[in-house]
Amino acid sequence: LSPVCLGSLRRAASINAEYMGALAVSEPRAGSDVRNIYTTAKLSEDGKNYIVNGEKYWISGGMKADWFTTAVRTGGPGRKGISVLIIPRGQGVITSRLPLQGHANSATAYVVFRNCKVPKEYLVGKENDGFKPIMFNFNQERYGIAISAVCFARVCVEEAVRYAKTRKTFGKALIDHQVIRHKIANMSKRVMACYGYMCILGFAMNKDKLGLVDRTIPRNVALFKVEATQTLEFCAREASQIFGGRSYVRGGRGGKVERIYRDVRAYAIYGGSEEIMLDLAMRQAKL
């Protein structure tokens, strides 16, 4: 079969979930600062293959992935020397699982490439032109992370309300204490605000999925991610306070809140930390 036919078969297999893929961009010394990645891909002497050497860190799904969509350096320093390669799992690809605080089902991996031979046909787009598609992909990735944060914040509110209605202290239901009602009100208003932000931004991205026309999309996605993850952190804390000691026990009535709390830091950091997102929004606003 020709490389084109093989590519079509592999795409079909991936769509049918016969193969699994992982995005491999972050490195131990280059997380949000993508332009400084140092994993290299150099053409072999016959010009038919790239030889990849380097390492990737915090790669979600990396332990199960059959393919790695990988940011590599094929040129000089900075963003103009970055390309994207599709690297199959095989000889020269080493993965080890990272013991995370949360996200237990994410199969997050530390991936090492050692003289990994990758056919030249697996280059995505043009050589040294991979920085832009990586950046545009971040809009979708960050939006998805923020949506998840909003959903889990809402779960915290729902679980807290359900528990507060049944738990009794000092002769009355927890929900009847004013301080608890205020906690739930503050949680609810922040979740509702984020939900509105999510819908407005979703409408804009539905019309311009990559943000090629509407240049406000990247900075609004960044600000939305910050607000959503900070709301999740707030709601996880307040729900934990309502559950008391039950939120510190895995499983049981407070199990959902306890599990969400372990994931809070991940949402605030991966896909771009809060600090990077705030700075990005202000730089793009050109104030």
Side-chain angles (χ1 to χ4, degrees):
L1 291 175
S2 71
V4 174
C5 292
L6 282 171
S8 298
L9 289 172
R10 287 172 178 136
R11 280 194 296 273
S14 297
I15 292 170
N16 293 331
E18 296 172 23
Y19 288 151
M20 295 187 68
L23 181 63
V25 176
S26 295
E27 299 179 355
R29 300 195 301 275
S32 299
D33 188 11
V34 176
R35 71 182 64 194
N36 284 322
I37 64 165
Y38 52 86
T39 293
T40 60
K42 298 180 180 180
L43 277 174
S44 57
E45 291 183 1
D46 59 11
K48 294 181 179 179
N49 299 286
Y50 284 102
I51 308 301
V52 181
N53 283 282
E55 52 191 349
K56 298 292 180 178
Y57 210 56
W58 306 289
I59 305 307
S60 298
M63 294 303 300
K64 299 179 180 179
D66 301 292
W67 298 87
F68 297 89
T69 304
T70 312
V72 296
R73 185 161 301 283
T74 49
R79 61 188 178 88
K80 293 184 178 180
I82 294 174
S83 301
V84 177
L85 276 180
I86 304 295
I87 302 178
R89 181 185 290 274
Q91 187 173 358
V93 180
I94 306 161
T95 58
S96 55
R97 188 160 188 156
L98 294 177
L100 305 180
Q101 179 183 27
H103 274 40
N105 297 323
S106 66
T108 299
Y110 171 43
V111 184
V112 178
F113 301 108
R114 287 289 179 265
N115 296 318
C116 178
K117 185 183 293 186
V118 182
K120 189 177 179 180
E121 291 80 11
Y122 290 179
L123 176 70
V124 178
K126 297 179 180 179
E127 189 175 84
N128 298 328
D129 196 29
F131 185 78
K132 186 177 290 185
I134 292 171
M135 290 299 103
F136 281 126
N137 176 72
F138 272 140
N139 291 333
Q140 298 284 340
E141 180 183 353
R142 289 164 180 163
Y143 185 62
I145 292 169
I147 288 174
S148 297
V150 175
C151 291
F152 284 126
R154 182 169 177 170
V155 170
C156 288
V157 177
E158 292 174 349
E159 289 297 303
V161 170
R162 189 175 294 114
Y163 179 72
K165 285 183 175 180
T166 59
R167 174 79 162 106
K168 289 187 177 181
T169 59
F170 303 103
K172 58 182 179 181
L174 205 58
I175 195 80
D176 292 331
H177 294 277
Q178 186 181 60
V179 66
I180 300 300
R181 294 201 299 273
H182 285 182
K183 284 183 180 294
I184 292 170
N186 283 322
M187 293 162 66
S188 299
K189 71 179 178 64
R190 292 191 64 167
V191 171
M192 290 169 67
C194 282
Y195 191 87
Y197 202 165
M198 177 183 73
C199 291
I200 292 172
L201 193 50
F203 179 77
M205 294 181 72
N206 192 50
K207 294 192 297 181
D208 185 13
K209 289 181 172 56
L210 294 178
L212 291 170
V213 179
D214 185 351
R215 297 304 176 91
T216 68
I217 285 177
R219 64 175 178 262
N220 281 332
V221 168
L223 292 175
F224 171 50
K225 181 178 182 295
V226 173
E227 186 60 31
T229 56
Q230 288 183 350
T231 295
L232 173 60
E233 184 169 8
F234 175 79
C235 290
R237 182 193 185 282
E238 293 297 87
S240 293
Q241 291 300 110
I242 291 172
F243 271 94
R246 289 182 182 271
S247 69
Y248 203 61
V249 178
R250 295 196 179 192
R253 295 197 65 181
K256 289 182 182 179
V257 172
E258 184 275 333
R259 183 173 178 178
I260 289 171
Y261 214 147
R262 282 185 276 124
D263 290 342
V264 164
R265 293 268 53 81
Y267 285 99
I269 295 171
Y270 72 178
S273 68
E274 292 175 355
E275 293 77 13
I276 295 293
M277 294 296 92
L278 291 171
D279 188 59
L280 169 66
M282 290 302 95
R283 282 190 285 110
Q284 294 206 348
K286 297 180 180 179
L287 298 179

